[in-house]
Amino acid sequence: MREIQLHNTLSGKLEPFVPQKPGEVRMYTCGPTVYDYAHIGNYRTFVFQDMLRRFLKLRGFQLTHVMNLTDVDDRIIANAAAAGKDIRGYTEKFVQAFFEDCKTLSIEAPEHWIRATDHIDDMVKLIQRLQEKTFTYSSEGSIYYRIAKFPNYGKLSKIDLTGIQAGARVDNDRYEKESARDFALWKAPKPGEHFWQTAIGPGRPGWHVECSAMAMKYLGETLDIHTGGIDLAFPHHENEIAQSEAATGKPFARYWLHAEHLLVDGEKMSKSLGNFFTLRDLFAKGYKPSAVRLALASVPYRKQLNFTFNSLRQAASGIERLRNFADRLQQGKFPAGKTEGMAARIVQAEQEFDEGLADDLNTARALAAAHELMRVANVAMDKDEFLQGDVAPARQFLATFDKVFAVLEDNDAQKLQALGYDSVQAGLSDVEIEKLIADRTAAKKMRDFAAADRIRKELAERGIILEDTKDGTVRWKRK
Ligand SMILES: [Zn+2]
């Protein structure tokens, strides 16, 4: 079996993956900051780390995987205070939504879901260790990390440190690139905001120290893999390294894996551009969870993913074909016997699938292996050249495929119902489109142009382009 290669942000290279203990992987993923519903850009990262953990398990590794819920953060503290709620009261809705979303996207639960609010003591202890080693200083009730004392600062993100001023400080959890500065480990309380009374004084932890403390508590001082979105590499992960390695004197994480950005229609997703989507926005438009998962999963994680409604429709139709193929294998009647040719094609597909994933989790290659086998087998079936003895190995391949991709089970309708959506429409049928066009024409006749425009817009969102012709009829096509 081919050795697994992973791209390590730390070295900037592909490296063979060798965990510290043979057969065991200790992995940490920075989870969501639960001050809002997570968006599809976040889920790109979470689907990626899910595919990675599923592949490692398929390869027989025993996983200890930790994902945190960041429920202590500038925005949470401020929003909770503004809403007059305590932290748990404010975040609970978003935590539950996140768990539901993960389930809906078939993202496996990690071995440990943990929350920052349950680990304040561990964070305080880590800060004390850093204090003892004089990596810190205090100012106005806050405690800062002195980055000038950590010579390897910048080794992950390769940030340019020339011109940084010793003692220039930053309090925000999220600060801009190109501004490496001493960052807050512990923040003095602000009037009206939540704080903890601790051995290092009243206040609350900074975001970066949360992940260092929680990761090391569950996974030991050196992790095998640390994952996250690329936007976390600096400053968040850089600061995690600085804190953990200064405290322990050991490497913090051996492999750093970062998922690239997600774009929508080629542009950065933002609320002001109107191209910002949560999962629920997509489900409300009638898209299936499995299609969303596959659209996010099918682009290798180190490539930018350009998310479009067309890519969702393509994913939905790809799943449809795979599910039909699985049904055909299960229900079809095939001539007796077994063909050497088909057996070899199935072995080839298995190898290609495994090698694709071993090649830095090249999900596109693994997916193509499944589609290629399906194509060849369907052709053989049509010619009665696919035999009964080929069924079991082909089904075995699909089962292996689905251990990582997790899209074959036909359970979209149940999942959506569980979230309160009553219908599933991956795309509109011709009849549905004609019906909406007739409604629009009727609305125009009634001079209800607002209604007519709404219908045109809805169709456009579902990928249907209308063209009004001179003779008054309407032509339409799929985008
Ligand atoms: Zn983190």
Side-chain angles (χ1 to χ4, degrees):
M1 209 177 274
R2 187 171 154 176
E3 130 186 289
I4 299 173
Q5 304 263 339
L6 297 175
H7 182 271
N8 192 346
T9 310
L10 202 54
S11 65
K13 283 194 263 208
L14 272 183
E15 294 178 15
F17 175 63
V18 185
Q20 298 165 93
K21 268 199 191 167
E24 288 179 26
V25 177
R26 291 179 237 171
M27 177 159 119
Y28 186 85
T29 299
C30 292
T33 303
V34 283
Y35 74 109
D36 202 348
Y37 295 102
H39 55 69
I40 54 170
N42 302 131
Y43 284 108
R44 199 247 164 132
T45 303
F46 299 135
V47 167
F48 145 64
Q49 58 82 41
D50 181 62
M51 305 282 285
L52 177 63
R53 64 167 276 136
R54 284 169 173 273
F55 176 55
L56 292 171
K57 279 170 62 181
L58 184 65
R59 278 291 193 100
F61 289 104
Q62 195 190 330
L63 228 72
T64 310
H65 179 200
V66 175
M67 201 194 290
N68 72 307
L69 296 162
T70 302
D71 60 357
V72 180
D73 166 274
D74 292 337
R75 294 168 293 189
I76 289 172
I77 300 274
N79 290 1
K85 291 184 176 173
D86 62 17
I87 291 181
R88 282 289 168 99
Y90 174 72
T91 57
E92 197 53 32
K93 177 170 92 171
F94 303 118
V95 169
Q96 289 315 318
F98 178 68
F99 287 154
E100 282 171 9
D101 284 356
C102 284
K103 221 169 153 187
T104 308
L105 279 191
S106 298
I107 293 173
E108 282 188 343
E111 282 63 35
H112 302 278
W113 279 121
I114 55 173
R115 295 186 196 211
T117 42
D118 289 329
H119 298 83
I120 303 297
D121 279 352
D122 301 290
M123 298 160 199
V124 167
K125 281 184 194 132
L126 179 58
I127 295 170
Q128 287 174 318
R129 278 173 89 178
L130 290 168
Q131 284 179 321
E132 281 159 26
K133 296 192 169 185
T134 68
F135 278 93
T136 68
Y137 59 91
S138 300
S139 176
E140 294 169 13
S142 294
I143 302 171
Y144 295 89
Y145 185 97
R146 196 190 297 278
I147 63 171
K149 199 169 153 63
F150 187 72
N152 282 329
Y153 193 85
K155 70 177 173 178
L156 179 74
S157 59
K158 324 290 187 267
I159 188 166
D160 182 5
L161 295 173
T162 51
I164 63 154
Q165 290 174 308
R169 295 191 300 271
V170 57
D171 286 88
N172 295 342
D173 283 334
R174 285 155 214 266
Y175 52 93
E176 293 304 309
K177 285 200 184 324
E178 283 96 48
S179 63
R181 288 190 236 161
D182 293 348
F183 56 91
L185 295 163
W186 188 256
K187 304 185 186 192
K190 284 191 197 151
E193 291 189 353
H194 186 84
F195 67 94
W196 283 266
Q197 195 68 54
T198 71
I200 53 173
R204 63 185 176 86
W207 171 39
H208 316 298
V209 83
E210 295 173 16
C211 280
S212 281
M214 292 188 285
M216 293 197 291
K217 173 172 180 148
Y218 291 90
L219 300 169
E221 293 184 341
T222 301
L223 334 176
D224 290 307
I225 301 177
H226 195 311
T227 69
I230 188 68
D231 52 325
L232 297 188
F234 182 87
H236 185 52
H237 293 159
E238 199 70 70
N239 292 350
E240 283 186 38
I241 290 175
Q243 296 160 156
S244 304
E245 299 193 356
T248 67
K250 296 175 192 163
F252 173 50
R254 298 170 62 244
Y255 299 86
W256 285 88
L257 272 60
H258 288 106
E260 261 296 336
H261 289 293
L262 174 144
L263 303 174
V264 176
D265 280 329
E267 297 201 73
K268 202 173 170 212
M269 190 164 64
S270 80
K271 284 188 175 158
S272 59
L273 284 175
N275 65 355
F276 183 97
F277 299 109
T278 64
L279 284 188
R280 281 142 210 259
D281 295 332
L282 300 179
F283 298 153
K285 287 180 187 295
Y287 292 102
K288 294 179 181 179
S290 59
V292 177
R293 179 177 168 95
L294 190 66
L296 296 177
S298 56
V299 176
Y301 75 98
R302 287 185 56 235
K303 283 207 172 128
Q304 280 195 346
L305 189 157
N306 188 25
F307 186 88
T308 61
F309 288 110
N310 199 32
S311 70
L312 267 184
R313 283 189 290 274
Q314 277 176 5
S317 83
I319 290 169
E320 216 46 50
R321 278 180 282 138
L322 285 164
R323 286 180 183 172
N324 289 342
F325 178 54
D327 284 348
R328 200 172 180 189
L329 282 171
Q330 192 176 3
Q331 290 161 14
K333 291 273 170 283
F334 305 101
K338 188 175 174 175
T339 54
E340 256 176 49
M342 189 52 66
R345 292 307 289 256
I346 295 169
V347 169
Q348 194 187 345
E350 278 166 348
Q351 274 174 2
E352 181 60 15
F353 177 79
D354 181 74
E355 282 184 20
L357 293 175
D359 176 16
D360 197 27
L361 211 70
N362 188 336
T363 46
R365 204 176 140 189
L367 183 62
H371 277 286
E372 177 60 12
L373 177 66
M374 172 173 73
R375 191 187 64 76
V376 170
N378 273 328
V379 169
M381 286 176 186
D382 293 343
K383 293 197 234 162
D384 271 343
E385 288 170 5
F386 189 93
L387 306 184
Q388 191 57 40
D390 301 323
V391 170
R395 291 187 69 189
Q396 179 59 45
F397 169 76
L398 280 185
T400 304
F401 165 84
D402 213 42
K403 277 189 179 153
V404 180
F405 279 83
V407 292
L408 292 184
E409 199 186 329
D410 190 1
N411 57 7
D412 290 295
Q414 293 94 304
K415 282 174 162 178
L416 289 180
Q417 270 163 15
L419 291 179
Y421 301 101
D422 40 4
S423 72
V424 184
Q425 292 167 300
L428 292 170
S429 67
D430 291 10
V431 175
E432 288 168 314
I433 293 164
E434 300 286 2
K435 165 84 173 58
L436 282 166
I437 291 174
D439 289 351
R440 175 170 168 269
T441 307
K444 278 170 113 179
K445 270 203 187 123
M446 307 279 290
R447 307 194 65 76
D448 186 355
F449 296 111
D453 274 345
R454 250 195 330 270
I455 294 170
R456 172 189 275 276
K457 197 162 166 252
E458 188 195 337
L459 285 163
E461 279 173 354
R462 299 271 186 99
I464 311 299
I465 313 284
L466 301 187
E467 190 192 338
D468 291 304
T469 61
K470 277 190 189 145
D471 61 15
T473 58
V474 183
R475 281 199 216 117
W476 63 269
K477 61 174 187 202
R478 292 192 166 85
K479 219 189 310 192

